[in-house]
Amino acid sequence: MSETFTELDVLSTAERWAGEGRHLALATVVETWGSAPRPTGSHLVIDADGNFEGSVSGGCVEGAVVSEALDVIDAGEPRMLEFGVADETAWRVGLSCGGRIRVYVEKVN
Amino acid sequence: MHRAILAALNEERAARRAAVVVTELATGRQRLVREADAGADPLAGDIERAIVSGKSGIVETAEGEVFLNAHLPPARIVAIGAVHISQALAPMAKIAGFDFEIIDPRTAFASPERFPGVTLHAEWPEDVLKARPFDPYTAVCVITHDPKIDDVPLISALNTGCFYIGALGSRKTHGRRVDRLKEAGIPQSSIERIDAPIGADIGAANPGEIAVAILASVIEAFRKRKMFAERRGETAAA
């Protein structure tokens, strides 16, 4: 876990990126139903160029979260996203595992 | 998230202290609650539950949905003794996802050649603990067989309320250890927290098997959240 903390730790990365003056959004899994790949509390940090670190799913919905995050960085207001098989977007970006997740995206400022 | 909150959160995490980020989802209002301040927060009960369970989640309040993100320190295993068992335990602990470090003042044992890539402190435990004290998210395994090395960290682990405390040795050896701990004024309820003989009772017969037994017991203590047994009133405070 020490390696995780120094190399892959999302919140440390967020702090470092913010210190470099990059504009960021932080996405957090706030609720899960069924078999969700990443537990509640998991983070993804995104910068204005679309670079990201961390995960909110097994890679299924990160692309969609990143594009929403770019809007949040511009607009400044937080946004709640929902992904899952019950959602019509499932055909586009969904969770193949059959779960459903809510992701809160906020600007780091 | 405000950068000040992010920085303060990372500071708590680096110091191995639990903290909860509280977010009002309707307004985006956010605050950081340190474990020590949880009791004074308006959501004290929910926050304390999040810390004890280690589970993040949404709670319903009069102001609407509030998300509690519980950040607990990563669990670590500290082995007192750079012995044969530790050589097997080091890679296993890492694979299972634990931080792992070894304290042993005997430099012939605690050598990088015997423990490549492992955090080694070739110093007396009392000196290491001054800079790097145990905490409730630490499992302590005393396995040198030498009271001069083992007893100080063992007492420190009991006083700290480490989530797992195991001690190597036969029942006879442990009997003598218990006598010494009693003489040192350690209460019986604390002494009973020591897992001795160390590890799950699987008939382990060699260093590798004993390492498996130790790791099984540590995982059981971690997943069953024994670091909070005192707070739940299941055992007397150490």
Side-chain angles (χ1 to χ4, degrees):
Chain A
M1 288 182 196
S2 51
E3 283 177 21
T4 312
F5 191 80
T6 51
E7 291 167 26
L8 296 170
D9 184 76
V10 180
L11 295 174
S12 300
T13 301
E15 192 180 343
R16 184 161 46 83
W17 285 3
E20 292 166 3
R22 291 153 80 167
H23 296 285
L24 310 177
L26 184 68
T28 308
V29 178
V30 295
E31 207 166 11
T32 68
W33 296 265
S35 76
R38 297 285 289 134
T40 304
S42 301
H43 288 301
L44 179 72
V45 62
I46 306 101
D47 77 2
D49 295 328
N51 298 303
F52 63 91
E53 188 76 57
S55 63
V56 292
S57 74
C60 329
V61 303
E62 271 74 4
V65 174
V66 168
S67 66
E68 293 278 350
L70 298 179
D71 292 345
V72 168
I73 291 170
D74 278 343
E77 292 302 311
R79 219 174 261 193
M80 187 70 79
L81 312 176
E82 201 167 311
F83 301 97
V85 287
D87 196 280
E88 62 186 22
T89 60
W91 298 106
R92 192 161 50 85
V93 285
L95 295 171
S96 54
C97 46
R100 197 149 64 91
I101 59 172
R102 270 172 92 198
V103 179
Y104 182 75
V105 186
E106 62 189 309
K107 187 170 181 176
V108 176
N109 51 23
Chain B
M1 182 179 282
H2 199 280
R3 276 181 62 184
I5 292 181
L6 177 62
L9 171 62
N10 280 338
E11 198 179 313
E12 293 305 295
R13 295 167 70 234
R16 297 184 57 81
R17 289 189 295 260
V20 177
V21 176
V22 179
T23 308
E24 294 175 14
L25 294 179
T27 63
R29 268 203 300 269
Q30 209 164 43
R31 64 181 182 274
L32 176 73
V33 181
R34 294 171 180 84
E35 184 176 14
D37 305 329
D41 193 272
L43 294 176
D46 291 309
I47 288 171
E48 281 166 358
R49 262 191 298 283
I51 291 174
V52 168
S53 68
K55 290 203 167 68
S56 303
I58 292 174
V59 293
E60 297 290 341
T61 72
E63 285 78 41
E65 287 185 323
V66 175
F67 178 63
L68 304 183
N69 204 354
H71 295 270
L72 268 49
R76 66 170 167 170
I77 299 173
V78 178
I80 310 299
V83 296
H84 200 167
I85 293 169
S86 311
Q87 287 178 293
L89 187 55
M92 289 182 196
K94 192 175 178 191
I95 290 166
F98 292 93
D99 283 348
F100 184 78
E101 54 193 89
I102 295 173
I103 304 173
D104 194 328
R106 302 168 299 178
T107 48
F109 285 81
S111 74
E113 291 73 32
R114 282 162 51 81
F115 293 93
V118 177
T119 305
L120 281 176
H121 306 278
E123 299 165 69
W124 286 92
E126 40 271 59
D127 296 330
V128 177
L129 291 176
K130 273 179 211 144
R132 299 174 58 82
F134 295 146
D135 58 52
Y137 306 94
T138 304
V140 176
C141 306
V142 299
I143 49 183
T144 69
H145 275 127
D146 183 344
K148 286 199 302 299
I149 303 172
D150 280 350
D151 283 7
V152 167
L154 185 58
I155 290 169
S156 175
L158 290 168
N159 289 336
T160 306
C162 292
F163 77 87
Y164 174 83
I165 304 164
L168 187 71
S170 65
R171 285 184 173 76
K172 210 167 131 190
T173 303
H174 188 59
R176 286 196 295 271
R177 182 184 287 131
V178 168
D179 291 342
R180 291 195 305 275
L181 293 173
K182 279 182 184 160
E183 270 171 38
I186 306 299
Q188 184 63 28
S189 57
S190 290
I191 292 173
E192 282 168 8
R193 290 203 57 220
I194 301 170
D195 185 24
I198 197 168
D201 185 8
I202 54 174
N206 59 43
E209 292 178 4
I210 294 168
V212 170
I214 292 173
L215 194 55
S217 290
V218 170
I219 291 169
E220 182 186 31
F222 180 60
R223 287 298 164 196
K224 294 182 178 173
R225 316 300 299 173
K226 289 190 181 171
M227 64 277 269
F228 298 107
E230 289 92 342
R231 281 184 237 168
R232 288 195 303 261
E234 291 170 12
T235 59

